[in-house]
């Protein structure tokens, strides 16, 4: 089990990412549009880049880390199920995951 503080930190990051998603997207669009534009477009892109840097670091989606929904384990995460490999194996063996059964040959 992961520490509760680590789980809470990830929840806080997810909230920040959702809160600033529109603002980040708009600023990134301005920055990317200014690359091939005129001099005033370059100035607008520069200002947008400055505003983008002033947003909180944890508002960036890249800072989120996938964790098991049950234990909070950060490693061995299976994206399709939202579980760590250990919890996946236990739940699959118990028949708790629909459509998944243990292979036998």
């Amino acid at each position: 089990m992961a520490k509760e503080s680590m789980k809470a930190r990830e929840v806080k990051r997810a909230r920040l990412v959702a809160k600033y998603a529109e603002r980040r997207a708009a600023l990134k669009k301005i920055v990317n549009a200014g690359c091939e534009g005129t001099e005033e477009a370059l100035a607008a892109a520069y200002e947008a880049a400055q505003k983008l840097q002033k947003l909180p670091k944890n508002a960036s989606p890249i800072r989120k880390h996938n964790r098991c929904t049950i234990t909070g384990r950060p490693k061995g995460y299976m994206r399709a199920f939202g579980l760590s490999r250990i919890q996946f194996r236990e739940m699959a063996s118990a028949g708790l995951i629909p459509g998944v059964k243990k292979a036998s040959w």
Side-chain angles (χ1 to χ4, degrees):
M1 294 279 291
K3 294 190 322 187
E4 292 300 316
S5 60
M6 298 303 286
K7 291 188 215 176
R9 189 179 299 166
E10 288 299 324
V11 170
K12 184 178 177 183
R13 281 185 185 139
R15 247 189 268 123
L16 268 175
V17 168
K19 179 180 177 181
Y20 288 99
E22 281 186 36
R23 196 176 307 174
R24 284 184 64 81
L27 289 172
K28 281 181 133 328
K29 188 175 181 181
I30 294 169
V31 170
N32 291 335
C35 294
E36 68 270 345
T38 62
E39 192 170 312
E40 59 190 32
L42 286 173
Y46 179 76
E47 286 185 30
Q50 295 295 320
K51 288 179 183 176
L52 194 60
Q53 286 180 350
K54 288 185 179 177
L55 293 179
K57 279 186 183 179
N58 285 334
S60 175
I62 200 75
R63 303 223 357 144
K64 286 183 5 183
H65 199 282
N66 292 328
R67 288 186 175 268
C68 176
T69 54
I70 297 172
T71 60
R73 179 182 168 88
K75 297 183 178 180
Y77 178 80
M78 300 177 81
R79 187 176 298 183
F81 301 98
L83 300 170
S84 68
R85 60 183 175 82
I86 299 164
Q87 287 299 312
F88 175 77
R89 185 166 188 257
E90 287 177 7
M91 291 179 76
S93 294
L96 299 174
I97 304 175
V100 175
K101 59 183 175 182
K102 192 169 182 233
S104 59
W105 59 90

